[in-house]
Amino acid sequence: GNSVTQMEGPVTLSEEAFLTINCTYTATGYPSLFWYVQYPGEGLQLLLKATKADDKGSNKGFEATYRKETTSFHLEKGSVQVSDSAVYFCALSPQGGSEKLVFGKGTKLTVNP
Amino acid sequence: DTAVSQTPKYLVTQMGNDKSIKCEQNLGHDTMYWYKQDSKKFLKIMFSYNNKELIINETVPNRFSPKSPDKAHLNLHINSLELGDSAVYFCASSRGAPGMNTEAFFGQGTRLTVV
């Protein structure tokens, strides 16, 4: 079946540090891949996405590249800010579209000043 | 001008009660969802409706019954609430299936606490 595995949290960094949150997936064919972010007390917001192999999604300084060969979609940011503190979810939608997203377990990020 | 709105935001109730959570989207989307987020932040889909028709029903107890009076609304009714139902419930919508170039838009969540 389809599944998403992301690194266990929580992750604590100092401001301006480099961030990587690992995400790997299991799916047949070419799923679409997403990163969602949940700020404290809020719902999920789409952060970035990639719909085919080697695509790079980017937004707000975050990037992730769809790697078919390693079935990965790692999230990176060169210099985090306190305002990036949130829970980050990797997700996939199976090839051909599907009526559901499959989420990873989420990684909580705390950025200290 | 909230895109996906759900009410109430907080709900505290006793075991055995019946409660409903309402969701409305003003985006003109065809597909709506209910997700459950447990205390460890794990998100899992419960139901999905497309144009008022049920298309996904994951392994959810029969006590949970979604109702879609029109494609802009998807309400969740829960009978005989149990302690294990305590969670945050998120409503979401998407234009079509959330693959390709569509994305799912989420509501703010309803924190349900069963005591």
Side-chain angles (χ1 to χ4, degrees), chain A residues 9-22:
Chain A
V11 174
T12 303
L13 296 173
S14 297
E15 211 165 19
E16 300 184 2
F18 184 85
L19 168 71
T20 300
I21 301 178
N22 289 338

Side-chain angles (χ1 to χ4, degrees), chain A residues 3 5 10 12 15 23 27 38 54 56 58-59 65-66 72 77 90 93 95 102 107 113:
Chain A
S3 66
T5 303
T12 303
E15 211 165 19
C23 172
Q38 183 180 23
D54 299 325
K56 178 185 282 188
S58 61
N59 185 25
T65 301
Y66 188 143
S72 65
K77 186 173 185 181
C90 186
S93 177
Q95 182 177 359
V102 177
T107 302

Side-chain angles (χ1 to χ4, degrees), chain A residues 32 34 36 38 41-44 46 49 51 87 89 93 96-101 103-106, chain B residues 33 35 37 40-43 45 48 55-56 58 90 97-104 106-108:
Chain A
S32 294
F34 305 83
Y36 279 81
Q38 183 180 23
E42 298 186 12
L44 279 75
L46 180 68
K49 64 184 178 186
T51 57
V87 180
F89 293 89
S93 177
S98 169
E99 285 67 39
K100 69 178 181 181
L101 285 164
F103 284 91
K105 291 191 175 183
Chain B
Y33 315 78
Y35 283 84
Q37 185 177 45
K40 296 182 179 179
K41 301 290 187 182
F42 184 52
L43 266 168
I45 191 165
S48 175
I55 51 175
I56 289 178
E58 294 292 295
F90 286 100
M100 303 312 289
N101 291 316
T102 63
E103 69 177 87
F106 284 78
Q108 299 268 19

Side-chain angles (χ1 to χ4, degrees), chain B residues 57-71:
Chain B
N57 183 351
E58 294 292 295
T59 308
V60 177
N62 291 337
R63 299 182 294 103
F64 290 79
S65 53
K67 286 187 171 51
S68 182
D70 55 62
K71 75 174 191 177

Side-chain angles (χ1 to χ4, degrees), chain B:
Chain B
D1 60 345
T2 303
V4 181
S5 59
Q6 43 182 122
T7 55
K9 190 171 182 180
Y10 300 97
L11 181 56
V12 181
T13 187
Q14 291 186 326
M15 273 197 311
N17 284 350
D18 304 337
K19 291 293 179 185
S20 292
I21 307 172
K22 296 185 177 182
C23 179
E24 175 182 6
Q25 53 94 4
N26 62 5
L27 298 166
H29 288 167
D30 294 323
T31 305
M32 295 185 73
Y33 315 78
W34 277 108
Y35 283 84
K36 179 180 180 181
Q37 185 177 45
D38 63 23
S39 59
K40 296 182 179 179
K41 301 290 187 182
F42 184 52
L43 266 168
K44 189 171 181 184
I45 191 165
M46 301 173 69
F47 301 102
S48 175
Y49 270 72
N50 180 270
N51 282 317
K52 302 195 302 177
E53 290 192 21
L54 180 67
I55 51 175
I56 289 178
N57 183 351
E58 294 292 295
T59 308
V60 177
N62 291 337
R63 299 182 294 103
F64 290 79
S65 53
K67 286 187 171 51
S68 182
D70 55 62
K71 75 174 191 177
H73 295 83
L74 180 62
N75 303 323
L76 183 65
H77 189 75
I78 315 171
N79 289 328
S80 302
L81 277 156
E82 301 177 356
L83 292 176
D85 297 332
S86 296
V88 181
Y89 292 84
F90 286 100
C91 178
S93 72
S94 65
R95 188 170 69 237
M100 303 312 289
N101 291 316
T102 63
E103 69 177 87
F105 290 79
F106 284 78
Q108 299 268 19
T110 296
R111 182 175 293 279
L112 171 65
T113 303
V114 182
V115 297

